[in-house]
Amino acid sequence: MATAAAASASEAEAEPKAGPEAEGEQDEAKAARARRKVLSRAVAAATYKTMGPEWDQQEEGVSESDGDEEYAMASSAESSPGEYEWGYDEEEKNQLEIERLEEQLSINVYDYNCHVDLIRLLRLEGELTKVRMARQKMSEIFPLTEELWLEWLHDEISMAMDGLDREHVYDLFERAVKDYICPNIWLEYGQYSVGGIGQKGGLEKVRSVFERALSSVGLHMTKGLAIWEAYREFESAIVEAARLEKVHSLFRRQLAIPLYDMEATFAEYEEWSEDPIPESVIQSYNKALQQLEKYKPYEEALLQAEAPRLAEYQAYIDFEMKIGDPARIQLIFERALVENCLVPDLWIRYSQYLDRQLKVKDLVLSAHSRAVRNCPWTVALWSRYLLALERHGVEHRVISVTFEKALSAGFIQATDYVEIWQAYLDYLRRRVDFKQDSSKELEELRSAFARALEYLKQEVEERFSESGDPSCLIMQNWARIEARLCNNMQKARELWDSIMTRGNAKFANMWLEYYNLERAHGDTQHCRKALHRAVQCTSDYPEHVCEVLLTMERTEGTLEDWDIAVQKTETRLARVNEQRIKAAEKEAALAQQEEEKVEQRKRARAEKKALKKKKKTRGADKHRADEDDEKEWGDDEEEQPSKRRRVENSVPPAGEAEPGSEADLSGSSAPAATESPSELKEVRVGARRRDVPKVPHDSSKDGVTVFVSNLPYGLGEPAATLRPLFEACGDVVEVRPIFSNRGDFRGYCYVEFREEAAALQALQLDRQSVEGRPMFVSPCVDKSKNPDFKVFRYSTALEKHKLFVSGLPFSCTKEELEEICKAHGTVKDIRLVTNRAGKPKGLAYVEYENESQASQAVLKMDGMTIRENVIKVAISNPPQRKVPEKPEARKAPGSALLPRQVYGARGKGRTQLSLLPRALQRPSAATAQAENGPATPATTEAPKMSNADFAKLLLRKLFPGTA
């Protein structure tokens, strides 16, 4: 049948083309592609018919009618190409997309989604040879999912014609079951092997496959049952005398394992068995039922949760680890990894368990290999893989090849490359026999050190603008090996000279490390020389270096050496003190300038306020000249301004007209004539707002209340504007805007809900735009009781699946950025960073579905030009916020010097002493400043005054009217 189909297809191909020759070569190419597609599907359909009904044609996607239909379509397309031009257009689009994907993979072979799309399109076009090659390439780089493997296996099974093809399918099954533990693949493997039972060794092959399947997934509580049943059905179908005992054995083994639907299996065994079930089998069955009850809560949690169910799997793993059954622990790890294959921490935990507990070579190395194929961007997995290879005695060539793969994996940080180089160099060092003066392994170690330094300098620094090794840890390690193990101090000194020339000469701890190395493996002369250089070069802790030098000379040096050391240390410390005094004076001058600027701003505000008050007084004078009654009331108001402020924004007594009320406005016609319409409108709006009674905040309702801030100050009716927004979250009891004494909206309010769930839902409205300004929504918390309470919606830790983009044009929209980013993976969220006024800052955060997509986007987008702006793209890792130093935590004079690591890789860089003049020092606990009120004196001692304070005091004496 297959031969006939192929022959008919060949005849169709040999038929002369119909239609005008003006269509050209393009139409011929289209027709050829259609014929190739028909040929492949016709062969596949014929192959299906020869294999019988055991395989589902719907799953394979092939049928005889489909083949005939497409064959007829292709034949008619040859005779009249224009009739099916729509089909050709679609096919041409697919071919262009295939070419684009192939080109993209030639640039970046680690693009997972690109591989998947290419396979899908090639399969759609019927390019059987190309789709096989595409799958092969992808499987060499990534483990394939269960769906991809089953699709590949079904296609290969449909085309298997003879014994050689069957062996090829067997090889594919072997590769498939190594990627992940998938019950469905094992079931397909067993059923396919049954089809080859007639071949030599077919029966043993089937039993071997099923036994391996039971060992792998037979303990799977929800899907293992299918494997057991398929194996029993196969054994029951074989006409042999020994088959009864084999089926008995399978029933007994299955009933001793906790699986779902155990009761039905037990009932089936009772019905099938002619003899009574042995008591030992019943006891094992009852014990398995008890175990099933313990496992059910975890299995039901997995069934109810949505993928990837990482938290549920973690809880299940913890439970299995407590029980300690290695087979079940391995199975639950494998089940979790099927859905969470891109979670590096899960792979690390699994490989750590295998390394420390099972220690089975094939199992351990297989898990490590799959881990780095799933998460190639995680350096910790590669380092553990190298250690596992060395631990299990794998040959040096394999370890070197694995290391080279790690270098090309595309790590996302410069420090990752330093870590993988250190792991490989440690392995090479352990291979060297240092008892020999020279060996092949030693030369390989030295060349590897040299290559590592060159690689970090060129490859890594070019990509990340840093080598990832500012302290030259690799070079330090090399120097220690040369000094301690090779007795080559000359090479060690050369390496340390190179370390110091790379910006490390100013750090005291680097010089002391070199001094200790000379002390242990060098001589006194070089120790003294190193300390003398350290005294001249160190800028972070020169006192410590000077002390070490004097200590050494006091112990070992001559009088002349002592005099030289004292002279150099005194000269150096004197210069350092001068530099510190100059730095302190500069800081004091900057502080003085800042204080003067603050005073100028205060003075300007006071003058502006006085001018407004003067204008109001003039208006009141005109009002008193026109109306005598109004004049008396106005005089009383002028004499008691504080009383007026108290009654504003409060409820007036019954029968008394509040200033600014209707009674007041009706008689105040003179100011209306002098003020502009906009000012009059503002006065009326302010008057209406002052009518609102001031309601004190009830802290007992904080749980159902949210605090809304950063609202536009010109919001006309805040309550009416905000209520519809928050009613979408739940029933709103009250929207309470806050006004100033003048009646101006202060830009924030309280929104009270009837239920706490609605308040929690309202927090999702944070950063929503209100009249072009982002609205801040936060929980209502009394900061006087919780002074350290901070609300920040976004994570400040390292997020490897999120990118930080800077340098964007201010006009770039969220949609435009998403269009650029989605070409490199699935974009979950994009946040454009704005200031408090809602204006863009040229920054954005882009969240991808996983770390792999994010790392690929960094490689592709970093340095991209958008509207003449060159953007920078990096993994999101915000710097730590600086916490204000507490007074009691400050360093006391004369205390021990802190290590350099306290202040980071570069040290603090400035003087550690506070040399600010006392007159400019602010008292730490002299006054307790209220949040919105005046300072409250804590002691009766008068605060010290600066020169600026004396100047202001003099001005007040000379010019009493000055604010």
Side-chain angles (χ1 to χ4, degrees):
M1 191 85 178
T3 308
S8 62
S10 301
E11 291 174 3
E13 186 175 359
E15 288 177 2
K17 299 185 183 71
E21 297 181 357
E23 295 296 330
E25 296 181 357
Q26 186 176 6
D27 293 333
E28 293 181 6
K30 292 178 180 178
R33 286 197 296 269
R35 288 196 302 273
R36 188 165 61 250
K37 185 174 180 181
V38 171
L39 175 62
S40 63
R41 297 200 177 184
V43 173
T47 306
Y48 251 76
K49 297 192 69 176
T50 60
M51 293 186 65
E54 62 175 304
W55 299 102
D56 187 6
Q57 289 186 350
Q58 291 182 353
E59 289 186 359
E60 305 300 330
V62 215
S63 66
E64 185 177 5
S65 61
D66 290 342
D68 295 341
E69 192 173 334
E70 292 191 16
Y71 181 85
M73 177 179 171
S75 301
S76 60
E78 290 186 65
S79 59
S80 55
E83 187 176 351
Y84 293 100
E85 189 173 355
W86 62 271
Y88 291 150
D89 291 342
E90 184 67 25
E91 191 171 347
E92 186 175 357
K93 290 180 182 178
N94 290 343
Q95 287 296 328
L96 292 175
E97 180 66 12
I98 288 172
E99 293 174 2
R100 186 190 70 81
L101 292 172
E102 288 176 343
E103 182 180 358
Q104 188 170 344
L105 285 176
S106 65
I107 299 173
N108 178 22
V109 74
Y110 288 98
D111 192 333
Y112 185 90
N113 293 327
C114 191
H115 280 285
V116 174
D117 294 340
L118 178 61
I119 291 171
R120 178 181 56 80
L121 285 176
L122 289 174
R123 190 168 185 265
L124 186 65
E125 290 297 309
E127 301 279 359
L128 302 180
T129 304
K130 288 186 176 181
V131 75
R132 181 179 289 172
M133 293 175 59
R135 284 166 169 164
Q136 181 67 28
K137 289 181 180 178
M138 183 178 182
S139 66
E140 292 173 357
I141 301 171
F142 299 104
L144 304 187
T145 62
E146 180 180 354
E147 294 76 12
L148 290 174
W149 270 119
L150 288 175
E151 182 182 80
W152 189 359
L153 290 166
H154 288 165
D155 290 346
E156 295 292 342
I157 289 171
S158 67
M159 294 183 291
M161 305 290 294
D162 52 21
L164 292 177
D165 292 339
R166 176 169 288 274
E167 290 299 324
H168 172 64
V169 175
Y170 282 153
D171 292 339
L172 281 182
F173 270 115
E174 290 296 331
R175 292 172 56 188
V177 297
K178 289 179 181 178
D179 275 355
Y180 300 107
I181 290 184
C182 299
N184 292 335
I185 294 179
W186 275 111
L187 187 61
E188 292 282 350
Y189 193 5
Q191 291 176 346
Y192 181 71
S193 63
V194 171
I197 194 173
Q199 297 179 349
K200 183 179 180 181
L203 179 60
E204 290 75 11
K205 175 70 175 179
V206 176
R207 285 176 172 167
S208 172
V209 170
F210 273 116
E211 288 293 338
R212 290 171 57 203
L214 292 180
S215 300
S216 179
V217 296
L219 297 177
H220 198 299
M221 298 189 65
T222 56
K223 297 183 179 181
L225 180 64
I227 304 292
W228 288 99
E229 290 180 347
Y231 195 5
R232 285 205 318 272
E233 290 175 3
F234 165 73
E235 292 291 349
S236 300
I238 299 175
V239 182
E240 289 183 359
R243 71 178 179 85
L244 293 178
E245 185 58 34
K246 188 69 175 178
V247 176
H248 272 293
S249 175
L250 287 175
F251 267 119
R252 294 167 184 172
R253 288 166 60 189
Q254 180 180 351
L255 291 174
I257 298 172
L259 297 172
Y260 271 43
D261 296 331
M262 290 186 64
E263 297 83 354
T265 304
F266 186 78
E268 182 182 353
Y269 185 29
E270 285 183 321
E271 182 180 353
W272 181 86
S273 178
E274 298 176 356
D275 301 326
I277 298 178
E279 186 65 26
S280 60
V281 176
I282 296 175
Q283 291 178 359
S284 299
Y285 167 69
N286 292 329
K287 183 178 179 181
L289 281 177
Q290 294 175 0
Q291 291 177 344
L292 180 62
E293 293 302 319
K294 296 180 181 179
Y295 287 112
K296 267 187 178 180
Y298 298 97
E299 291 290 345
E300 290 174 358
L302 290 175
L303 293 174
Q304 294 172 4
E306 296 181 358
R309 304 177 283 196
L310 179 59
E312 288 76 14
Y313 275 120
Q314 293 281 18
Y316 205 160
I317 290 171
D318 293 339
F319 174 73
E320 291 286 12
M321 294 285 276
K322 290 179 181 178
I323 296 177
D325 185 349
R328 298 198 66 89
I329 293 174
Q330 182 189 354
L331 177 63
I332 191 58
F333 266 117
E334 293 288 352
R335 288 176 62 185
L337 288 169
V338 170
E339 298 183 15
N340 299 276
C341 59
L342 299 179
V343 180
D345 292 340
L346 189 59
W347 281 108
I348 290 174
R349 187 179 181 187
Y350 183 34
S351 60
Q352 182 175 321
Y353 169 76
L354 296 177
D355 286 334
R356 297 178 180 178
Q357 302 296 328
L358 296 188
K359 301 179 182 180
V360 180
K361 178 179 178 179
D362 294 338
L363 187 60
V364 170
L365 296 185
S366 172
H368 280 289
S369 176
R370 291 187 293 134
V372 297
R373 290 174 67 202
N374 278 281
C375 306
W377 63 89
T378 307
V379 68
L381 293 175
W382 286 103
S383 300
R384 291 171 177 271
Y385 191 14
L386 292 177
L387 289 172
L389 291 172
E390 181 184 3
R391 193 178 293 120
H392 291 280
V394 178
E395 60 182 11
H396 173 62
R397 181 185 57 82
V398 176
I399 297 178
S400 298
V401 170
T402 304
F403 169 70
E404 296 297 334
K405 289 181 180 178
L407 285 183
S408 61
F411 299 132
I412 58 179
Q413 297 182 81
T415 53
D416 292 344
Y417 287 94
V418 178
E419 184 176 342
I420 194 64
W421 268 111
Q422 284 183 318
Y424 184 59
L425 292 170
D426 291 345
Y427 156 70
L428 293 178
R429 195 265 306 163
R430 288 189 285 267
R431 294 181 68 240
V432 178
D433 182 7
F434 290 100
K435 295 178 181 179
Q436 302 178 11
D437 294 337
S438 180
S439 64
K440 180 182 177 181
E441 289 80 8
L442 179 58
E443 293 304 319
E444 184 178 2
L445 174 62
R446 284 172 171 162
S447 62
F449 269 114
R451 183 190 168 202
L453 299 177
E454 190 69 19
Y455 187 89
L456 293 178
K457 182 179 179 181
Q458 292 185 356
E459 302 290 336
V460 178
E461 196 164 349
E462 180 181 349
R463 178 180 167 190
F464 296 98
S465 301
E466 59 165 329
S467 67
D469 190 14
S471 299
C472 302
L473 297 176
I474 291 179
M475 206 176 298
Q476 287 187 47
N477 191 27
W478 189 4
R480 292 189 194 99
I481 291 174
E482 292 289 353
R484 296 175 183 175
L485 302 177
C486 300
N487 298 320
N488 189 355
M489 276 303 300
Q490 183 61 33
K491 180 64 176 178
R493 291 180 184 120
E494 292 175 3
L495 290 170
W496 270 105
D497 284 340
S498 180
I499 291 172
M500 293 307 180
T501 57
R502 298 193 179 191
N504 293 293
K506 57 186 176 181
F507 300 125
N509 68 330
M510 300 295 286
W511 283 108
L512 295 178
E513 185 71 27
Y514 177 32
Y515 165 74
N516 291 330
L517 190 67
E518 285 284 2
R519 194 78 172 162
H521 306 285
D523 51 47
T524 305
Q525 181 181 356
H526 283 91
C527 289
R528 182 175 291 110
K529 185 178 179 181
L531 289 177
H532 278 273
R533 291 175 60 191
V535 168
Q536 297 299 323
C537 300
T538 302
S539 61
D540 56 351
Y541 298 108
E543 296 91 349
H544 192 28
V545 175
C546 292
E547 183 181 351
V548 173
L549 175 59
L550 293 176
T551 301
M552 190 194 77
E553 298 298 0
R554 180 178 285 111
T555 306
E556 303 178 16
T558 63
L559 178 59
E560 183 180 359
D561 295 332
W562 172 262
D563 290 339
I564 294 173
V566 170
Q567 182 182 356
K568 285 192 174 184
T569 54
E570 288 179 350
T571 304
R572 176 59 178 163
L573 291 178
R575 192 182 306 122
V576 169
N577 287 332
E578 290 178 3
Q579 293 173 354
R580 289 173 176 173
I581 291 173
K582 289 181 180 179
E585 290 175 350
K586 187 176 180 180
E587 290 182 3
L590 291 174
Q592 181 69 21
Q593 292 177 6
E594 188 63 29
E595 282 190 7
E596 291 176 356
K597 289 180 181 179
V598 172
E599 291 300 329
Q600 288 177 2
R601 287 195 292 267
K602 287 183 179 179
R603 196 177 297 114
R605 286 197 297 267
E607 291 176 355
K608 188 176 181 181
K609 190 179 295 184
L611 185 61
K612 287 183 179 180
K613 187 176 181 180
K614 194 173 182 180
K615 287 182 179 180
K616 286 184 179 180
T617 305
R618 290 177 181 175
D621 291 341
K622 289 183 180 181
H623 183 69
R624 285 194 295 270
D626 292 339
E627 298 290 341
D628 293 338
D629 296 337
E630 295 285 326
K631 175 183 176 183
E632 293 178 3
W633 183 84
D635 289 340
D636 183 65
E637 184 183 27
E638 285 294 323
E639 291 173 1
Q640 299 180 359
S642 61
K643 182 176 180 181
R644 176 181 178 179
R645 281 195 294 269
R646 284 196 299 270
V647 298
E648 283 182 351
N649 208 13
S650 62
V651 181
E656 181 180 348
E658 182 188 8
S661 62
E662 291 183 3
D664 180 48
L665 292 173
S666 62
S668 302
S669 57
T674 58
E675 293 178 352
S676 64
S678 62
E679 291 176 344
L680 181 59
K681 181 180 178 181
E682 184 178 353
V683 169
R684 289 175 177 173
V685 171
R688 288 199 301 271
R689 287 172 181 167
R690 283 194 293 268
D691 290 341
V692 180
K694 180 180 289 186
V695 180
H697 177 66
D698 186 0
S699 59
S700 64
K701 297 182 179 180
D702 285 349
V704 295
T705 306
V706 295
F707 179 67
V708 185
S709 60
N710 201 47
L711 295 167
Y713 293 105
L715 206 59
E717 294 292 339
T721 304
L722 297 176
R723 181 176 285 273
L725 290 176
F726 288 95
E727 282 182 341
C729 304
D731 190 7
V732 177
V733 176
E734 181 185 12
V735 177
R736 190 164 66 256
I738 305 302
F739 299 100
S740 67
N741 291 334
R742 295 179 53 203
D744 299 326
F745 179 49
R746 300 185 65 179
Y748 62 90
C749 67
Y750 296 90
V751 180
E752 182 184 337
F753 293 90
R754 200 168 300 281
E755 297 178 353
E756 186 174 353
L760 295 175
Q761 180 68 22
L763 297 177
Q764 302 299 321
L765 298 178
D766 186 38
R767 300 302 198 279
Q768 181 167 328
S769 179
V770 175
E771 295 190 2
R773 191 178 179 94
M775 171 181 66
F776 298 164
V777 184
S778 59
C780 187
V781 176
D782 188 356
K783 288 193 175 182
S784 63
K785 299 179 181 178
N786 301 277
D788 296 331
F789 179 78
K790 298 283 185 185
V791 177
F792 191 68
R793 181 178 176 184
Y794 307 102
S795 173
T796 57
L798 172 65
E799 297 178 281
K800 294 185 178 181
H801 67 289
K802 187 180 292 186
L803 303 183
F804 173 67
V805 185
S806 61
L808 290 168
F810 292 152
S811 58
C812 182
T813 63
K814 181 177 180 180
E815 290 73 18
E816 293 174 358
L817 185 58
E818 183 177 7
E819 189 67 26
I820 296 172
C821 296
K822 71 180 183 181
H824 311 294
T826 304
V827 178
K828 295 180 66 177
D829 184 39
I830 291 182
R831 176 168 65 93
L832 295 178
V833 182
T834 62
N835 59 16
R836 295 180 70 89
K839 304 297 183 183
K841 300 174 71 174
L843 309 174
Y845 288 91
V846 182
E847 183 179 356
Y848 279 94
E849 193 171 36
N850 53 57
E851 298 176 19
S852 176
Q853 296 177 1
S855 62
Q856 297 305 321
V858 171
L859 296 176
K860 294 295 186 64
M861 295 174 57
D862 189 29
M864 180 186 290
T865 302
I866 300 179
R867 298 183 194 168
E868 301 181 356
N869 285 40
V870 179
I871 65 172
K872 292 184 178 180
V873 183
I875 297 297
S876 176
N877 188 15
Q880 294 294 327
R881 292 176 176 266
K882 293 184 178 180
V883 180
E885 190 179 9
K886 296 183 179 180
E888 60 271 12
R890 291 175 184 161
K891 178 176 171 62
S895 61
L897 291 170
L898 296 176
R900 169 174 157 241
Q901 284 75 8
V902 173
Y903 300 106
R906 292 291 184 183
K908 190 171 182 181
R910 287 196 178 185
T911 174
Q912 308 301 313
L913 302 178
S914 177
L915 298 180
L916 195 67
R918 292 192 184 92
L920 297 181
Q921 289 182 355
R922 297 186 177 180
S924 59
T927 59
Q929 182 69 28
E931 184 179 38
N932 288 314
T936 304
T939 62
T940 58
E941 182 182 357
K944 292 183 173 64
M945 300 179 67
S946 65
N947 293 337
D949 295 328
F950 281 110
K952 288 186 287 185
L953 185 61
L954 181 60
L955 287 174
R956 291 195 188 98
K957 292 289 184 180
L958 297 175
F959 306 97
T962 304

